[in-house]
Structure formats: C-alpha cells, structure tokens
Amino acid sequence: MHFPWWHVDYLTAPMLIAFVSVVHVLVAHYAVGGGLFLAVEVTHAYRTHNRDYLAYLRRHAKFFVLLTVAFGAITGVGIWWTIGLASPLATRVLIRTFVFAWATEYVFFILEIVSAFIFYHYWGRLPEKVHATIVWIYGISAWASLVIIAAITAFMLDPGKWPADHDFWSAILNRQALPQIISRTGGALLLSSLYVYLHAALTIKDAKLHALIESRSTRPALLGAVLITVGGVLWHVLLPPSAQAALYAAPVLNVLMALLFAATGIVFVLLFFGPYRNPGWIHTPGFAASVLLFGVIGMSTAEFIREAVRKPYICYNVVLGSQMLPDEVTRVRRQGFLESGPWTRAFVQAKYPQVVSGDGHIDRTRLLALPKAGQIELGGVIFQYHCNDCHAVRQGYSPVGPLVQGWTPAMIRALVQDLDRTRFTMPPWAGTPEEAELLVAYLADVSPPRPVGMLPAEPKTGAR
Amino acid sequence: MEPKTLVDTSMALGLPAPVWFIELFKWLGFSLHAVPMNLWLAGILVSMILYVLGNPHGRRFNARLMAQMPVIIALGINFGIVPLLFIQVGFAEIFYPATILMAWFWFLVVVLLLPAYYGVYLYAYGLAGQGDAMPRWKRAAGWVSAVLLVAIGFTFANAMSLMENVKSWPDLWQRHSFNGAALGTALNLADPRLWPRWLLMFGLALTTTAVWVAFDAAWFARRESPAYRAWAKDFSWRLYTVGAVWFAIAGAWYSFGTWTPDTRQAMFRSAWVLLTVVTAAAPAGVWVLLWLARKREGDIGPGWASLIGLAQFGVLGINAAGRQVVQHVEIGPYFDIVHQPTGQTQWAPLAIFLVLFVLALGLVAWMIYQVAKLPAQPDAA
C-alpha cells in the first residue's frame, strides 16, 4: 500500500523471496557448520599430526570457500535484494528495527571473509597454531552471524513486546529466538556433515582415511540431529496460537509437515544404518548423495513452513500480508483502500478522474457509478495491492480465480467483507463497502465457471 | 500526476539513529566499497584488453589482477552491504519505489553476479593451474565476467539515478504496470543524467585501476622483474591520464549538461561550490603524484604508493560526498531526508556495534600481520 506493488505473474513476488531464501539457507548453514567442522578437525589433525587428514581438509576447504564465500555471500545479498522488492514495508520495519543488529552481523561477516581467505590461501605457510586460530575465528564468527540472523527471523514469527514498546531488546530477545538458534545450529552441524560425506565419497579412495572422516563427521551430525529435535519442539511449543492452528488447518502445511518429518526421519535412519551400523555404505557417492538430498529436502521444507505459518502476517502482529500495519486497518477502512495508498490513489486520479472530487480525494460514492469494465479494473488494482502477496490471479501460486470457482457474487461478497473471520490466515478486509464491491466484480470476472456435468446437477435458476 | 504524491511519508516508525550517523556510514561504506568495485568494474576489462594486446607486462598484470580478483570481489560485496543497509534505513521512501519500478533488472544484479564471480574464479584457477596455456573457455570466462560486471554497474547507475529522478516515476510506472502494480520492467534510460553518471563512474574506476597498478607493483610484486615494475610505473600514469580525462569529460557533461537549475544553484553558487571544485580537481592531485613517481628513478616505493593510494581513496570519498550532496538537492523537493523523525535512538546496540567493529578491526589487523610477517615464497621460476 505504501509502496508500488511488484506484480510477478504466476509466481507472485514473495515466492521469489522463498526461492532465494531456500537456496541461500542450504549454503549458509553449511557455511556455519562447515566452518565449525573445519575448526574442530584442523585442530584435531594438527594435534594428532595426521598429514593425510590435513590434506583432505585442505581439499575440503577449497570446496567450502568456493561454495560459501561466493555463492553463499551472493545469495545472502540476494535475499536483501528480493525482500526489498517483494515486501518493502516489512523490510523497512525490519531494517529500522535491526539496523545495528545487521551492522553487527556485518562485522562478523568481515571476519568470516578475511579469515576464510587467509585460512585457505595460507595453508601450509602459517604456523599450525596460528592457522588453527584463524579457522576458529571463522567458525565462531559464522556462528555469531547465525545467532543474529536467527533472532531477526524469529522476530518475524513472534515480535514479543515490540509492537507495544518498539524497543530493540524486546525485538531481538523474542521468544522464538532461542528455539531457532538451537535448531539452526543443529541444522548447520547436520548439513555440514552431509556435505562432508558426499565430498569425501567423491574424492577419497583410501579406506582408512574414509573411516576416520566418517567417524569424525558423524558426531556433529548426531549432535545436529538432537539440536534440531530440541529446537523444533521448542519452536512448536512457543508458536503463537494462530501459527500453531495454521500448521494443522492449511492443507499445504499438513503436506509439508509430513514431508519434513519424513525427510528428517529418513536422514536419521540413514545415519543410523549408514555411518553407525554399516560404515562402508557412506563411502559410496550414491548413498552419500541420498542422505544429503533428504537433508536438503528437510531443510527446504522447514524454511518454507517457517515462512508460511506467519500468515496472515509477514511479521507477526507487525506487518500484514496486505502490506499494511495492523493499526492502519481501521483508518484505511474509513478512508478507503484506494485513497490510502499513494500508488492506488494516483492510479485512480490518472485513469478515472470522474471519481475524484474537487479536493483531489477519491469520492467513494462515485465508484459504483463507473462502467462495469472500470469497476473490474479498479477491483484488479485492489487485488494487486491487497491480495497478490499470497495469491496469483488465474493460474500459478494459490490463484484466486480457481479458489472462488463457481462462487456466486454473494458468496464472494461474504468472503471479502469477512476475510479474516472466514480464514484466520487471511488479513482483515481494509476497504470501504464500495471497494468490496469492486473486488467482488474483479474476482467474479477472473473466476472460471463451475465445471459442468457434476452430479447432483445444479438446480436451474428459479427452480426452487 | 504530481510525482511528489507517490512518495509516502506517512509511515510512523522513526529513524533508529541520528540522520548524520546514517549519512556518515552510508558515505563511508560507499567510499570503501568503491575501491574494490572500481577494480572489478574497469580493472577486469582493462586487464583483459591488455592480455589481448599481447605486451608481456600487460599480460603479467592481467594474471596478477585476476589472481587477486576473487578476494577483491569478496571484499567489494562485503563493503557494499554497508551503503545498501544505510540507504534502506534513511532513504526507504524513495529507494524502494525506484527499485520496484525496475525490479527485474534490479533482481538481475544478483543473478548476473553469480556467473560473473564464478567466471573470475574460473579464470584465476585457470591461470594458477595452466597459466597462458589455459583453455579458451576459461579465458572467455574472464571476458564474460568483465561484461557482466559492467552491465551490473549500469544497472546500479540506473537505480540510483531513478531514485533521484522522482519526476520520471509516473510516466515509467504507467507504461510498465498491470492493474496499477509495477511490472518491474522500467529502465530509467530517458534520464539525461544516467549516461554521464555511469560514464563518470567508469572514468573514476579507470583511475582507481591505474592506482592499483602502481600500488600492487610497489607492495605485492617483489618477485616480479624490474622491467615489470618499470612498466607498471609508466602504465599507471598513462591509464590514470585516460581515466582522469574520461572523468573530466563525463563530469562536465553530468554537471553542466544535466543538473537541474536547483542543483546548479546549490553546487555552483552556494558554499557547496568548494566541494564541487574539490571533487572536480581531486584526480589532478593523484595524477601529479603518479607523474612525479614516473619521473623519479627506480621503483615506486611502498611509502609513495601508499600515499598515492590514500590520495585516490580521498578522491573516491570526495566524489561520494559530492554525489551525496547532489542526491540531497535533487531528492529534496520530493522527500526531506534530513528532517525525518527520529524514533528511539538505539544507543546500546549502536555502541555494541561500534565496540565489536573496533575489536574486529583488531582481529583483522592481527590476521594480516600474521600473513605479512611470513617469509616470501621462493620464486617458482
């Protein structure tokens, strides 16, 4: 409402955030867990004077730096890029609230970059103790970054007292922070082990070395599994009631939860039957790739669920999916949705000057006097700014047309006027009754007719 | 349609820090970002051209710069986060609409940066493994990176000029929208400021690349031949001359040809005229330092090279300050940056950030010291 809305056909703009975030998270968690893995293992290898293991760790460090410093960093910046485009109001609130948290995370990021390059490029030249210290600087900095970012993303699910006091500490020390830090730390440890398994399976021939890598990387994997379980349980217990309800009420989330449990369970089972009971299995690239694949599926699903349970909010109780603040709803209802947003108002002023009064404001009483095509177009404007955050139009991501397929205008009207009561995962309607009629006209226009030939046959009009 | 009405200033959440602090960090962050960014914007292209021209020293510089480039790009991305963060804190009301109007192009920056970065890695690893015998496709990766990074620079120039060009928003939006929502396909190509602004940045990037040639030869090229270092001394001055002339022409076009009467009034007829003059003249100072170095016998020593490097950083900083003032003047009629309401100033988080920042600088200095005190590797040749 406050900013122009970016219309991305079929997908919807926020789905780009989901896509970039999931891709980033798969590398970012490895950047943390892999850093800690390298820190622990390089220290161990130096202490035990294991040259073969050090040589492997050096090869792994090259893969690690190539993936995390380039791909991880760019996709991380990519999230910023995308949230600013697809969710500018929430981004504005987050950035103004957490600017110094992000600045602090940036400080750790500097340390990560410098230490990662020095650790890798000066391998074999730095004294062992200094070299190990530098990789520990990397590992600790990366984990500190995770803590800060996890706390910020947790705020989006439970802002605590922040809506009342707007205090930084209320925001960062929210109830969801600890569960997310625990589960993300676990995810980082587990995922890094899965990356190591695959990398080792592809690059190591020596069985003895393989056995060592396997036993060393299974420990963080198991610790990660425990942390994921503990963090996940805490996350669920501390979810706001609406988010808990959404988990069970939304069919897509039911399916995703089942997928998450299945993928996580498969990873745990594979870890048990693989590295624990049948150590040789993990040496094969196919098995190692399968474990990583299920880990990736589990983590991607968890990210998607984390995003989806917030509905109808982008930030729980702070920014609604309709791109407005909760305390703006009453004013917008009174003032009119089209009138309240600068871009919607400008659209009406430019295209339908006949509904604009002498003082430049939109006269709501003239809206329904527009020709039908004009009403549908303005309904489309309202849809874009009020609904397109979660719904595509005719096809694509949760398209609204098929959702109201076969509905009568009266049914659509009832839905629009009581959006949040019909579905608590939808934001409250924030427009005048006249604007509701415009939206009804638009939705009726984009919805396909009820499919023909269904039994029992529909009674003909006037039959009752 | 009155463009000013498109800027929404009704949102209540105030700034988390004083405006001067946000401005300071935006400026400082951009100045730091400009150094590596200039090197990838112009440096890669220049070094690839030098390779094609075939001069052995030019080819050597190509190998040196491209081997350094993965680290340079990592630092550049890192430093770029700071101005991006503070521009979103202080300028959200105009930054978001401008980038949303051109959303697909803005999004493309991230998409293009990935192959550009990995192209540099391919080239660098090709050099390390195979040297001049590297396969053509790896050599081509260097060219692809150079072109992509120039395209990314153009997109940035487009976004920043569109942010200042609020007047053009209504027309761009109406031509690139669906039911009032932006399609994200608008580019600010009709803005007369766009091209000179982009060319000005490229000229500046040429000068930074020139300084890097000298700085690198003095600090990091101990194993190179005296002939290479002599070439570097001469080439850096020549390249700087080209960059400075380029900068002067683009700068004159930008300021005399495209500034609005209000901007000209502010930058030529108020106290800011001093900044305008210093911004325009600053490259001349570095040019003189390089010229003096070129006239002197022997190599450019590390001390002299550091002085030149610092002076160039000053040029970039002054330029960033000058453009920040112009930005204020041009945005001023639509959005008052300076007088935004301040919310709860977050003193404790700010202090924690500053303390950690200083500690981190200490750790970075310690790590660099560990590297610096290593004995030089024996010459592979």
Side-chain angles (χ1 to χ4, degrees):
Chain A
M1 188 181 81
H2 298 280
F3 298 102
W5 177 247
W6 180 21
H7 172 76
V8 175
D9 210 4
Y10 195 78
L11 201 59
T12 75
M15 284 303 285
L16 290 173
I17 302 177
F19 175 72
V20 177
S21 302
V22 167
V23 169
H24 172 69
V25 154
L26 297 174
V27 177
H29 280 76
Y30 171 51
V32 177
L36 291 170
F37 169 81
L38 283 168
V40 172
E41 296 311 306
V42 165
T43 307
H44 172 78
Y46 278 137
R47 204 171 49 234
T48 55
H49 308 290
N50 190 332
R51 295 288 135 196
D52 289 342
Y53 193 27
L54 274 171
Y56 168 71
L57 290 172
R58 186 174 188 171
R59 285 201 301 279
H60 190 85
K62 181 180 181 180
F63 167 71
F64 176 80
V65 167
L66 268 176
L67 187 61
T68 61
V69 172
F71 192 86
I74 292 175
T75 51
V77 174
I79 293 181
W80 272 44
W81 239 248
T82 323
I83 62 173
L85 293 171
S87 203
L89 179 63
T91 309
R92 181 184 182 277
V93 170
L94 285 174
I95 282 191
R96 290 212 171 179
T97 307
F98 292 110
V99 58
F100 294 112
W102 259 307
T104 305
E105 193 249 343
Y106 163 78
V107 168
F108 288 115
F109 191 44
I110 293 178
L111 285 173
E112 283 177 57
I113 295 284
V114 175
S115 56
F117 277 120
I118 292 178
F119 168 68
Y120 174 64
H121 287 289
Y122 291 89
W123 195 305
R125 295 184 63 198
L126 287 166
E128 291 180 359
K129 199 172 169 188
V130 172
H131 192 229
T133 305
I134 286 174
V135 71
W136 273 106
I137 290 174
Y138 175 87
I140 292 168
S141 306
W143 185 72
S145 292
L146 176 147
V147 169
I148 294 170
I149 295 300
I152 294 173
T153 53
F155 167 86
M156 295 172 75
L157 188 52
D158 186 350
K161 290 186 295 176
W162 185 87
D165 62 19
H166 283 199
D167 182 67
F168 172 83
W169 297 108
S170 299
I172 199 103
L173 301 174
N174 60 78
R175 293 197 319 162
Q176 276 287 335
L178 188 62
Q180 294 212 18
I181 290 167
I182 292 172
S183 57
R184 284 186 184 281
T185 303
L189 294 174
L190 176 60
L191 199 62
S192 74
S193 290
L194 305 189
Y195 275 104
V196 172
Y197 288 147
L198 181 61
H199 184 261
L202 290 170
T203 60
I204 301 260
K205 299 269 188 292
D206 179 356
K208 195 175 154 198
L209 180 59
H210 222 298
L212 173 70
I213 293 167
E214 185 185 299
S215 75
R216 296 289 303 175
S217 48
T218 298
R219 291 174 200 185
L222 292 174
L223 175 61
V226 171
L227 291 177
I228 287 172
T229 309
V230 172
V233 169
L234 280 174
W235 172 82
H236 186 269
V237 169
L238 295 174
L239 274 180
S242 74
Q244 277 193 355
L247 271 181
Y248 302 108
V252 67
L253 289 181
N254 294 167
V255 174
L256 289 175
M257 281 298 284
L259 184 63
L260 174 62
F261 279 118
T264 313
I266 289 170
V267 171
F268 291 177
V269 168
L270 290 177
L271 283 176
F272 177 78
F273 283 108
Y276 186 70
R277 295 291 298 270
N278 301 285
W281 289 9
I282 201 78
H283 298 191
T284 57
F287 188 83
S290 303
V291 187
L292 178 60
L293 177 68
F294 283 109
V296 164
I297 291 172
M299 187 153 272
S300 310
T301 312
E303 276 313 307
F304 196 89
I305 292 171
R306 188 188 64 78
E307 289 280 328
V309 292
R310 294 197 304 260
K311 285 181 180 179
Y313 300 99
I314 299 169
C315 288
Y316 192 82
N317 277 346
V318 176
V319 180
L320 284 158
S322 47
Q323 298 287 334
M324 67 178 73
L325 309 174
D327 58 11
E328 289 180 315
V329 172
T330 308
R331 175 180 63 80
V332 174
R333 268 188 191 149
R334 190 177 60 245
Q335 198 172 310
F337 186 80
L338 293 167
E339 172 69 28
S340 299
W343 296 82
T344 49
R345 185 171 59 237
F347 183 88
V348 177
Q349 287 170 339
K351 193 126 192 225
Y352 296 101
Q354 64 270 40
V355 303
V356 179
S357 61
D359 58 0
H361 294 293
I362 297 168
D363 183 348
R364 55 193 271 192
T365 62
R366 300 184 202 172
L367 290 171
L368 298 180
L370 285 170
K372 194 71 182 170
Q375 290 186 36
I376 290 172
E377 186 175 24
L378 287 185
V381 173
I382 294 170
F383 176 81
Q384 287 296 321
Y385 281 80
H386 198 293
C387 318
N388 191 223
D389 201 278
C390 303
H391 296 287
V393 183
R394 287 188 168 88
Q395 290 179 319
Y397 177 68
S398 190
V400 75
L403 284 176
V404 295
Q405 182 166 12
W407 289 25
T408 64
M411 292 163 73
I412 300 176
R413 186 173 301 113
L415 168 76
V416 168
Q417 288 173 342
D418 251 342
L419 267 186
D420 55 331
R421 293 188 185 281
T422 309
R423 293 288 302 163
F424 67 89
T425 50
M426 288 210 273
W429 164 244
T432 63
E434 293 83 0
E435 289 172 330
E437 287 304 317
L438 299 179
L439 185 56
V440 170
Y442 177 73
L443 294 178
D445 185 62
V446 299
S447 68
R450 183 181 164 82
V452 294
M454 295 173 70
L455 292 176
E458 278 212 59
K460 287 184 179 157
T461 311
R464 278 188 221 171
Chain B
M1 190 184 300
E2 172 54 48
K4 189 175 181 176
T5 61
L6 294 175
V7 181
D8 192 340
T9 53
S10 68
M11 290 165 282
L13 194 60
L15 294 173
V19 171
W20 66 263
F21 185 91
I22 291 162
E23 296 272 18
L24 175 70
F25 268 77
K26 175 173 169 274
W27 166 79
L28 181 65
F30 184 78
S31 302
L32 284 170
H33 168 68
V35 177
M37 179 269 283
N38 278 192
L39 293 179
W40 76 54
L41 177 63
I44 296 180
L45 195 60
V46 167
S47 82
M48 294 304 294
I49 292 170
L50 284 173
Y51 182 85
V52 171
L53 292 178
N55 178 305
H57 300 310
R59 288 191 164 194
R60 193 66 208 124
F61 173 69
N62 169 266
R64 295 188 59 78
L65 183 73
M66 293 304 276
Q68 297 158 347
M69 198 48 74
V71 179
I72 291 172
I73 293 183
L75 289 175
I77 292 171
N78 194 324
F79 291 150
I81 292 171
V82 185
L84 185 70
L85 177 64
F86 285 98
I87 206 169
Q88 292 187 69
V89 175
F91 296 68
E93 283 78 354
I94 47 170
F95 175 78
Y96 291 136
T99 49
I100 289 169
L101 288 174
M102 54 175 290
W104 281 114
F105 298 101
W106 190 239
F107 184 67
L108 209 57
V109 166
V110 176
V111 178
L112 295 182
L113 193 51
L114 274 169
Y117 198 172
Y118 278 111
V120 164
Y121 264 113
L122 268 177
Y123 195 95
Y125 281 130
L127 278 172
Q130 295 138 310
D132 269 357
M134 82 163 102
R136 278 187 185 176
W137 67 274
K138 285 190 181 173
R139 185 79 63 195
W143 280 105
V144 170
S145 296
V147 171
L148 290 180
L149 290 164
V150 170
I152 288 170
F154 180 73
T155 312
F156 263 90
N158 216 295
M160 294 303 121
S161 61
L162 184 56
M163 193 177 91
E164 292 170 22
N165 191 12
V166 178
K167 203 168 67 176
S168 70
W169 290 4
D171 180 54
L172 283 174
W173 171 52
Q174 284 173 319
R175 285 193 289 118
H176 298 267
S177 64
F178 168 73
N179 280 352
L183 286 171
T185 50
L187 270 180
N188 191 31
L189 295 175
D191 187 347
R193 284 168 294 196
L194 170 66
W195 299 97
R197 185 193 180 108
W198 180 49
L199 291 170
L200 182 142
M201 288 304 292
F202 193 81
L204 212 53
L206 283 173
T207 62
T208 307
T209 302
V211 168
W212 184 255
V213 175
F215 190 88
D216 171 65
W219 273 97
F220 309 124
R222 280 175 290 177
R223 288 164 50 207
E224 298 292 347
S225 66
Y228 172 80
R229 287 197 292 276
W231 171 87
K233 192 168 74 167
D234 183 62
F235 180 72
S236 65
W237 177 78
R238 287 174 190 275
L239 184 61
Y240 202 95
T241 306
V242 173
V245 170
W246 185 308
F247 172 78
I249 293 170
W253 179 11
Y254 177 55
S255 49
F256 296 112
T258 69
W259 278 354
T260 61
D262 284 348
T263 311
R264 279 203 291 272
Q265 172 69 30
M267 301 309 289
F268 291 145
R269 296 188 199 94
S270 75
W272 289 119
V273 70
L274 189 63
L275 181 62
T276 310
V277 171
V278 173
T279 306
V286 182
W287 183 86
V288 168
L289 289 175
L290 282 167
W291 178 72
L292 288 173
R294 182 170 173 259
K295 284 193 68 167
R296 283 171 50 183
E297 287 291 319
D299 295 342
I300 300 179
W304 194 255
S306 301
L307 179 67
I308 294 170
L310 273 175
Q312 180 65 14
F313 184 68
V315 169
L316 296 178
I318 290 166
N319 198 275
R323 275 181 296 105
Q324 193 144 322
V325 172
V326 170
Q327 198 173 54
H328 274 238
V329 174
E330 301 203 331
I331 291 170
Y334 308 100
F335 180 59
D336 188 351
I337 295 154
V338 177
H339 297 105
Q340 291 183 73
T342 305
Q344 292 181 13
T345 301
Q346 300 176 354
W347 291 114
L350 191 157
I352 291 170
F353 156 64
L354 290 176
V355 168
L356 284 171
F357 185 59
V358 171
L359 289 175
L361 287 181
L363 268 178
V364 168
W366 177 81
M367 287 190 279
I368 291 173
Y369 171 70
Q370 297 302 321
V371 169
K373 71 180 187 183
L374 289 174
Q377 275 189 321
D379 198 332

